[in-house]
Amino acid sequence: MSTASTKIALPIVDFFALGPEIALASGACLLLIARAIMVRSVEMRARKVVSLVLSYSASLVALGLALADLVRVRSQGPSLTAGSLIANDAYSASFKLVFAAMAVLAIAMGYSGLSRDGRVREEFGALVLLACAGMMAMVSAVDLIVVFLALELFSISFYVLAGFLRDSPAPQEAALKYFLLGSFASAFLLYGIALAYGGTGSLNLGVISSVSSRGSFSWLLLAGTALLLSGLAFKVGAVPFHMWVPDVYQGAPSYTSGFLAAGAKAAGFGAAMRIFAALVPSRDLWLPLVVGVGVVTMIVGAAAAIGQQNVKRMLGYSSIVHAGYLFLGVASPVEGGAQATLFYIVTYAAMIFGAFAIVAIFQRERTDAGDLVDFRGMGRKRPLLGVGLTILLLGLAGIPPTAGFIAKLYLFRAAVQAGLVWFALAGATASVVAAFFYIRLVIVLYQPEEKSANVVDTALPAVHLDAIAPGALSAAIFATVAVTLILGVFPQPALGFAEAARLIGGG
């Protein structure tokens, strides 16, 4: 009796396409190994230098590889790799470029700010690098299991970053809430994946799209789509899954809150665009779900933010409003929604990174409470930082000539082209309401200062930014303000970059 030998066909892997993820993951592993080796034999200052060098090197290598891959994809066309589990198209390559830039900003702001407070540790860089690697994999995945694994990689890193200050009760409470609610989100997403498989017999988005286009969209797949939407809505902080957002952003270290806000939205909506682009043939069935979540998110976020006295909680609720805007792109994935979403995420990331960094500097100087009254007069006392925060807040409000205005206009246009005029009008209305709490903070910055017991006299010069923030932090803040202004005045190059970010099976 003879037995036939069966050869296992190994998947073809384009390692160049996966280069950014490999660079970030390798850098994180090297950081952890270096820390284990140096922890007993090297002094703290030298360990921090090594950690910084490894963190910056990995993120900059990933940035270069993402740029090179984007050039290659635009010249050679899109492809699938790793056994058709990962898409290498202009859409994923563009997002990888954005995530690599986020890594550089997060490392610059986090290391500089936390070092200034004497609370940085070497594993901070590893967590940032692993989170960005997970986000890259998530927006590139065309298999739902890969989406889930990538989501868990960056989510676990975010849980630890939220509670990074282990000796403070507020970060620990924030991390626990984030972890518990995030676990529910993961369960929803995984159950949705199971139902999608039950309705189509596959986890591949290409197969799911094919089944959907044949009119075979079963109620089982519709239930799976609803649960997938629920799981992603948790991650991006959409209503009614938004309860964790203000608590986490308030409790997390201020220098990392911007990374948590921008990264979760970029990864969540980046993956949502690819998933819902595959489901476009059955759009009439899931569109009411997306529009309903988007409208309620904008309304609840704006209404809750108005009554906030704590600045970080206000920014947390404002991030919920921005999640509502981004559902405009999800609702119109093949009418330019994917490209508009990419451009919006680029501008939002720059603005929220810079806003949280300046708030952290002001908060450290006055009081840990971070209430509106504690920011009174800070625009006069720290003119450069005051002007920077003003520009970033106006950008978040969508007021010209900032990039926030162009991003919202581009997103609303995509929704109108998809026939979602009322959805776009709801977004415009929410934007007008949201402008109130941004402008209120701007006014507070330039009101006459009131002396109180909370004020800490640091005796720092009022005109030199570097006297308040280390060089890397200063450069990062300047970069975010510059992006907000430049993309508002000269948006065409960035809009052209976004227009070219086509996804496989998408617009």
Side-chain angles (χ1 to χ4, degrees):
M1 183 175 179
S2 61
T3 57
S5 61
T6 303
K7 283 189 175 182
I8 298 176
L10 297 177
I12 298 174
V13 179
D14 184 353
F15 287 101
F16 189 82
L18 301 178
E21 293 98 315
I22 294 172
L24 293 176
S26 300
C29 292
L30 287 174
L31 266 169
L32 296 176
I33 293 171
R35 184 189 187 282
I37 293 172
M38 296 186 302
V39 69
R40 294 179 180 272
S41 57
V42 182
E43 65 176 10
M44 179 63 71
R45 182 175 180 84
R47 284 162 47 189
K48 288 181 180 178
V49 171
V50 172
S51 299
L52 266 178
V53 170
L54 288 174
S55 299
Y56 277 123
S57 298
S59 55
L60 291 174
V61 168
L63 188 68
L65 290 173
L67 182 59
D69 186 49
L70 179 60
V71 173
R72 187 184 68 148
V73 168
R74 289 187 177 179
S75 62
Q76 299 180 7
S79 62
L80 295 174
T81 185
S84 298
L85 299 177
I86 302 292
N88 184 33
D89 51 17
Y91 178 79
S92 62
S94 299
F95 263 100
K96 288 179 184 181
L97 196 63
V98 174
F99 289 135
M102 281 189 190
V104 175
L105 281 178
I107 290 167
M109 292 182 175
Y111 265 111
S112 300
L114 293 171
S115 293
R116 185 172 176 80
D117 292 341
R119 309 178 86 171
V120 71
R121 295 187 301 276
E122 296 90 331
E123 58 267 29
F124 177 83
L127 291 168
V128 171
L129 296 178
L130 287 174
C132 289
M135 292 187 281
M136 288 180 179
M138 190 171 174
V139 299
S140 305
V142 291
D143 185 274
L144 292 177
I145 285 296
V146 179
V147 171
F148 176 75
L149 294 175
L151 179 140
E152 287 305 292
L153 177 58
F154 91 77
S155 294
I156 292 171
S157 300
F158 274 17
Y159 302 152
V160 181
L161 285 171
F164 194 74
L165 303 183
R166 296 178 300 195
D167 54 345
S168 300
Q172 297 310 300
E173 180 183 349
L176 183 60
K177 290 179 179 177
Y178 199 1
F179 169 71
L180 291 176
L181 293 176
S183 299
F184 281 108
S186 298
F188 277 123
L189 190 72
L190 195 57
Y191 196 21
I193 290 172
L195 292 179
Y197 180 80
T200 63
S202 176
L203 296 174
N204 187 277
L205 292 179
V207 176
I208 293 174
S209 179
S210 178
V211 171
S212 179
S213 64
R214 293 198 302 264
S216 303
F217 197 92
S218 65
W219 289 105
L220 195 62
L221 181 55
L222 179 61
T225 302
L227 286 172
L228 285 171
L229 177 63
S230 299
L232 292 172
F234 259 111
K235 294 302 178 182
V236 301
V239 176
F241 313 109
H242 65 292
M243 297 78 69
W244 59 272
V245 174
D247 293 336
V248 171
Y249 292 178
Q250 181 183 12
S254 298
Y255 295 104
T256 63
S257 294
F259 180 51
L260 301 180
K265 283 179 179 52
F269 281 105
M273 293 304 310
R274 193 179 291 280
I275 293 171
F276 283 93
L279 296 171
V280 161
S282 302
R283 182 179 174 189
D284 291 341
L285 294 176
W286 54 258
L287 185 60
L289 293 173
V290 172
V291 173
V293 170
V295 170
V296 173
T297 298
M298 289 186 284
I299 293 172
V300 173
I306 289 175
Q308 298 302 314
Q309 293 302 310
N310 183 276
V311 172
K312 289 178 69 177
R313 289 186 69 85
M314 183 271 286
L315 289 175
Y317 278 109
S318 79
S319 76
I320 295 173
V321 184
H322 286 278
Y325 299 148
L326 284 164
F327 276 104
L328 289 161
V330 177
S332 49
V334 297
E335 289 87 1
Q339 292 74 33
T341 298
L342 173 62
F343 183 78
Y344 196 98
I345 285 172
V346 170
T347 59
Y348 175 75
M351 294 183 294
I352 202 68
F353 261 99
F356 268 113
I358 297 176
V359 165
I361 295 170
F362 285 169
Q363 186 175 343
R364 179 184 183 276
E365 188 169 332
R366 285 291 179 85
T367 173
D368 287 337
D371 292 333
L372 272 172
V373 66
D374 300 317
F375 288 80
R376 182 171 293 171
M378 290 303 296
R380 299 182 179 203
K381 187 175 182 181
R382 300 287 182 255
L384 290 179
L385 289 175
V387 170
L389 184 56
T390 298
I391 292 171
L392 295 168
L393 291 173
L394 294 179
L396 289 168
I399 295 175
T402 63
F405 171 75
I406 301 297
K408 286 181 181 177
L409 190 64
Y410 193 28
L411 200 59
F412 294 161
R413 187 190 71 172
V416 170
Q417 289 175 345
L420 304 174
V421 178
W422 288 107
F423 196 9
L425 286 175
T429 304
S431 185
V432 172
V433 175
F436 166 78
F437 47 80
Y438 293 121
I439 294 175
R440 178 181 61 177
L441 179 54
V442 172
I443 293 173
V444 168
L445 289 175
Y446 293 97
Q447 286 179 340
E449 182 179 352
E450 290 185 2
K451 295 290 184 181
S452 70
N454 288 331
V455 176
V456 179
D457 186 8
T458 58
L460 290 175
V463 292
H464 297 296
L465 176 59
D466 202 58
I468 311 161
L473 181 57
S474 303
I477 292 173
F478 176 81
T480 60
V481 175
V483 167
T484 303
L485 282 177
I486 292 172
L487 294 189
V489 179
F490 304 106
Q492 286 307 320
L495 290 175
F497 166 81
E499 287 288 352
R502 302 286 172 175
L503 56 86
I504 296 176

